[in-house]
Amino acid sequence: MASSGEEPRSGSPGRAGTGTEPAAAADAAQLDTAEDFEVLEEEEEEDDDDLSELPPLEDVGRPAAPPREDTQPPEQGAGDAAGDPQEWLDVLGNGLLKKKTLVQGQGVDTRPQKGQDVTIRLKATLEDGTVVEEDPALTFTLGDCDVLQALDLCVQLLEMGETALIISEAKYCYGAQGRSPDIPPNASLKLEVELLAARDAPDLELLSGKEKIQLANRKRERGNFFYQQADYVLAINSYDIALRIVGSSSKVDFSPDEEAELLNVKVKCLNNLAASQLKLDHFKAALKSCNLVLEHQPGNIKALFRKGKVLAQQGEYREAIPILKTALKLEPSNKTIHAELSKLVKKHADQRNVETEMYRKMLGNPGAAGTPRKCKDKLPWSIPWKWLFGATAIALGGVALSVVIAARN
């Protein structure tokens, strides 16, 4: 489970950091790079079912935010547009995402389609006019959630050459976390967007090994962003897209190194997919994702750990414990696995005690204290159930035979 050594990158809205503090981001990056499972200090008090004790994602790079530019006053055009609500399009009908055309485009027939690669000019500002992002040529796949939801939803409404102003609430931008240090939590954004180009996405079958790896990693990194924003549904969507890219057929021959790297990307996506599915309590799907990892890498500690977690959350302690023991054998010094294993052993013991008490009540013996010694000697509670059932069946058979004989006589 070696780290890929990816470096943090600055990026466009939705591709950059997640709003965590720099120290926490550094800790998380260090954990993942070292492939360590240590619990972060600020996460020790979380509930038992939270997977944050384990580095949640493979090679999570938390990119630094772009340099903060000097505060600028709001543009006159943007201010005028915001003051004229009659010209605004309420994109979703909830008042949280609005679009207004500043420069007319070339007609509705030139609007891009989902699945196409589009290129836009982007300028993003806070409500006070502070510029937080500028990109003269941002390219992404429309509909794949590669960028902010506000952009993904609105760009498909733009005509070629159109310039529009988009005002979006935080829900469709950086949400409650914001993006440290330049975008505060729950911040609305003004996005000035010009549609420059739209073209069909490349044929996956014709991509070189390097191109396919880069494309799949971009989708995976986007999934990591959504995971860190606690938007696990969109995280799953991004990981699924990445896996579809990796698993697509190809008319191009790949080198052994490229094949190995594609497998590495696949394993990372499956591990992260399992983490997201666990967050949504999709246990069956998470178990499948873990098993797919273990088919390729039987000693993958994260997959073993998460598989044990899945089984444990389903109450299958007897199956979960040996899986965690296997993980611990591979990494004996891992404190998180130690803690999880100890917790499961205790839960399993408690479960067995409850079952034993239930069996006693079912057999008419509420407790050992009120049971005469001679009765206990004649019928120890360790007698297997199949013996009891067998004895009952023989007794009933004898009664039936006696009834038949009596009837004939």
Side-chain angles (χ1 to χ4, degrees), residues 51 56-57 227 270-280 306:
L51 295 179
L57 300 173
Y227 186 98
L270 286 170
N271 257 334
N272 296 352
L273 183 61
S276 302
Q277 291 163 336
L278 265 170
K279 288 291 189 180
L280 297 175
R306 291 195 179 104

Side-chain angles (χ1 to χ4, degrees), residues 163-190:
T163 299
L165 181 66
I166 299 166
I167 294 183
S168 175
E169 295 296 319
K171 180 177 180 179
Y172 304 110
C173 296
Y174 287 95
Q177 297 188 31
R179 187 186 70 183
S180 179
D182 57 345
I183 300 179
N186 298 310
S188 300
L189 289 182
K190 292 181 180 180

Side-chain angles (χ1 to χ4, degrees), residues 89-94 97-99 153-154 157:
L89 171 65
D90 189 347
V91 176
L92 299 175
N94 57 10
L97 182 63
K98 298 184 292 184
K99 166 190 172 291
L153 292 168
C154 291
L157 302 176

Side-chain angles (χ1 to χ4, degrees), residues 93-364:
N94 57 10
L96 303 181
L97 182 63
K98 298 184 292 184
K99 166 190 172 291
K100 180 177 180 179
T101 298
L102 302 180
V103 177
Q104 293 290 337
Q106 300 172 14
V108 294
D109 293 340
T110 64
R111 288 178 177 175
Q113 303 296 316
K114 287 185 178 181
Q116 287 188 312
D117 286 346
V118 297
T119 302
I120 63 171
R121 176 184 62 80
L122 172 69
K123 182 178 181 181
T125 61
L126 299 177
E127 290 182 312
D128 64 1
T130 302
V131 178
V132 292
E133 197 79 40
E134 278 192 285
D135 195 324
L138 171 63
T139 299
F140 59 94
T141 303
L142 190 60
D144 275 11
C145 299
D146 289 345
V147 290
L148 296 180
Q149 283 184 277
L151 289 173
D152 222 11
L153 292 168
C154 291
V155 168
Q156 57 189 292
L157 302 176
L158 297 183
E159 301 170 5
M160 191 60 61
E162 177 182 350
T163 299
L165 181 66
I166 299 166
I167 294 183
S168 175
E169 295 296 319
K171 180 177 180 179
Y172 304 110
C173 296
Y174 287 95
Q177 297 188 31
R179 187 186 70 183
S180 179
D182 57 345
I183 300 179
N186 298 310
S188 300
L189 289 182
K190 292 181 180 180
L191 309 170
E192 185 178 308
V193 182
E194 179 184 1
L195 180 58
L196 302 176
R199 59 185 180 278
D200 291 339
D203 188 340
L204 295 179
E205 290 188 336
L206 301 179
L207 291 180
S208 67
K210 182 178 180 180
E211 290 171 333
K212 182 173 282 192
I213 291 167
Q214 290 176 341
L215 181 59
N217 269 326
R218 283 204 300 272
K219 305 299 183 182
R220 178 180 62 83
E221 290 165 1
R222 186 60 183 165
N224 293 357
F225 167 80
F226 284 126
Y227 186 98
Q228 294 161 356
Q229 294 283 352
D231 195 334
Y232 305 116
V233 172
L234 289 182
I236 288 173
N237 177 71
S238 294
Y239 296 136
D240 280 339
I241 293 173
L243 288 168
R244 190 163 62 246
I245 293 169
V246 172
S248 63
S249 59
S250 180
K251 297 178 180 178
V252 181
D253 292 331
F254 299 154
S255 69
D257 287 345
E258 289 172 337
E259 292 281 6
E261 183 58 28
L262 282 169
L263 177 59
N264 187 39
V265 174
K266 179 180 180 179
V267 166
K268 290 177 181 178
C269 288
L270 286 170
N271 257 334
N272 296 352
L273 183 61
S276 302
Q277 291 163 336
L278 265 170
K279 288 291 189 180
L280 297 175
D281 293 339
H282 295 172
F283 299 130
K284 184 176 180 180
L287 186 61
K288 180 180 179 181
S289 298
C290 292
N291 285 335
L292 287 172
V293 173
L294 296 173
E295 286 179 11
H296 297 293
Q297 297 179 359
N300 189 294
I301 295 179
K302 288 183 179 180
L304 288 169
F305 183 89
R306 291 195 179 104
K307 183 175 181 177
K309 291 283 288 188
V310 171
L311 293 171
Q313 293 197 30
Q314 292 178 304
E316 304 291 343
Y317 302 125
R318 183 176 299 176
E319 290 78 9
I321 288 172
I323 292 173
L324 289 181
K325 285 183 177 179
T326 299
L328 190 60
K329 185 176 180 180
L330 293 171
E331 195 167 320
S333 61
N334 193 298
K335 294 182 180 179
T336 299
I337 300 178
H338 267 292
E340 184 67 19
L341 185 56
S342 298
K343 182 173 64 178
L344 292 191
V345 169
K346 183 179 184 303
K347 286 185 176 181
H348 188 214
D350 292 342
Q351 183 186 62
R352 292 179 64 183
N353 290 336
V354 170
E355 291 175 351
T356 300
E357 185 63 24
M358 179 183 67
Y359 294 154
R360 287 179 175 175
K361 290 180 179 179
M362 289 174 61
L363 293 172

